[in-house]
Amino acid sequence: MKKVFTILLASLGLAACNSQTKDDSQKILVLYYSQTGATKTVAEEIKQQLNADIEAIEIENPYDGNYKETIDRCIQEIESGTVPNTKALQSNINDYDIIFLGYPVWFGTYAQPIAGLVKNESFEGKKIVTFCTFGSGGLQASTENLKQALPKAEIIEGYGVRNARIEKSSAEINRFLIERGFKQGEIEALPAFMEHKPVTQEDADIFDEACGDYQFPLGTPIDVAVRETKNSTDYEFYVQSKNQNGEDITATIYVTKSKENDSKAEFTQVIR
């Protein structure tokens, strides 16, 4: 009955008020590392929407080279098992109930400075909500890796956004925070995706429009499920792809196309 009621709300386009209750007594810290400024933008938006405290993570030997030099240094660190040393935090972790931990995704997981942070901080007993910026994806994988690195903390998968879509993050963060009960408000109830069906030529054209100009090949779409919202048409593509080792895998790629005139389809994330 509950499922039927939820679908009915969505189909009617009604606003849904989150069922969780926001606890205003909880103290929140937004803690983040940003290399290019993208993650900083998301961190500051979360801070503003939650009226939270905020602090940037800094490392003793910054990645101050160009893109290639940063990549080369990261590869050397990963291969040698070393991580950058982080500067001492100004915030007292023990003062906070919830910590939003943000980072760019590097090599499929959280950036190396976060590895340096968790080497020295256990975050024992703390609730940590992840958020990240990425080229194609990595929220799920990086969250799972943090769960392994911080077994004494409660790690909650949070919000991720492509660097190419940072300007869309404010509205998406608002939805995420309301859905998860971190702030109060009303949002449109999103319908579930319909049943997956083989990709048609029209679907393939939408996929190419969204993914065709990405710098790396994302694979070939096989099946797709669609949902209609008030403002967009969303697609969930199952795609034949390859992982970093060149092995065949099936990935999931989410695509959205705004109903505004002349809008271009864009992919929001890849889950491998």
Side-chain angles (χ1 to χ4, degrees):
M1 180 63 72
K2 182 178 179 182
K3 181 177 181 180
V4 172
F5 182 67
T6 302
I7 294 174
L8 178 60
L9 281 178
S11 65
L12 292 175
L14 299 178
C17 187
N18 193 277
S19 60
Q20 301 182 61
T21 302
K22 179 180 179 292
D23 184 354
D24 291 322
S25 67
Q26 291 183 320
K27 195 170 182 183
I28 299 174
L29 173 66
V30 179
L31 184 62
Y32 72 96
Y33 174 78
S34 186
Q35 177 71 12
T36 64
T39 307
K40 179 182 179 181
T41 297
V42 176
E44 291 178 339
E45 182 66 34
I46 295 173
K47 176 247 186 305
Q48 179 180 358
Q49 293 199 29
L50 292 178
N51 192 28
D53 293 338
I54 190 169
E55 180 175 351
I57 297 165
E58 298 182 7
I59 57 177
E60 293 179 356
N61 180 20
Y63 295 86
D64 55 3
N66 58 32
Y67 177 79
K68 183 179 184 304
E69 290 172 342
T70 298
I71 293 298
D72 290 343
R73 175 178 163 183
C74 286
I75 292 174
Q76 291 175 357
E77 289 174 341
I78 292 170
E79 290 179 346
S80 65
T82 59
V83 295
N85 292 322
T86 55
K87 295 182 179 180
L89 296 176
Q90 300 301 306
S91 304
N92 184 350
I93 296 299
N94 293 327
D95 290 343
Y96 296 92
D97 304 291
I98 302 172
I99 299 168
F100 282 76
L101 182 60
Y103 46 84
V105 171
W106 293 355
F107 295 96
T109 189
Y110 47 80
Q112 282 290 90
I114 301 299
L117 177 72
V118 302
K119 180 180 178 181
N120 299 317
E121 294 278 355
S122 70
F123 295 95
E124 182 173 358
K126 297 301 175 182
K127 180 182 291 186
I128 296 179
V129 184
T130 59
F131 68 94
C132 60
T133 57
F134 44 73
S136 60
L139 172 64
Q140 295 75 18
S142 62
T143 300
E144 289 303 312
N145 290 338
L146 273 173
K147 288 179 181 179
Q148 297 175 16
L150 297 174
K152 296 181 180 180
E154 178 187 359
I155 311 295
I156 299 172
E157 182 182 304
Y159 170 75
V161 62
R162 290 184 61 216
N163 295 319
R165 300 184 69 256
I166 290 294
E167 75 280 0
K168 309 291 178 63
S169 62
S170 178
E172 293 179 353
I173 290 168
N174 178 66
R175 164 173 287 280
F176 163 72
L177 294 175
I178 293 174
E179 284 179 338
R180 298 296 183 89
F182 294 114
K183 64 181 284 190
Q184 296 175 343
E186 294 185 349
I187 51 176
E188 175 194 5
L190 295 179
F193 283 98
M194 304 298 287
E195 180 182 357
H196 272 259
K197 296 181 179 180
V199 168
T200 65
Q201 184 58 53
E202 182 179 357
D203 298 327
D205 290 342
I206 290 289
F207 183 86
D208 289 342
E209 181 180 310
C211 305
D213 59 356
Y214 187 62
Q215 58 184 323
F216 302 113
L218 294 175
T220 303
I222 309 166
D223 294 334
V224 64
V226 182
R227 72 177 178 195
E228 297 288 344
T229 75
K230 181 174 64 176
N231 298 316
S232 66
T233 303
D234 301 333
Y235 303 82
E236 182 182 66
F237 285 97
Y238 290 164
V239 176
Q240 284 184 337
S241 184
K242 293 184 181 294
N243 62 18
Q244 293 180 345
N245 298 322
E247 301 166 331
D248 291 331
I249 61 169
T250 299
T252 303
I253 298 182
Y254 290 95
V255 169
T256 186
K257 184 163 186 175
S258 171
K259 292 181 178 177
E260 295 181 0
N261 292 335
D262 300 323
S263 294
K264 180 179 181 294
E266 52 187 3
F267 81 90
T268 59
Q269 68 169 321
V270 181
I271 301 176
R272 294 181 176 88

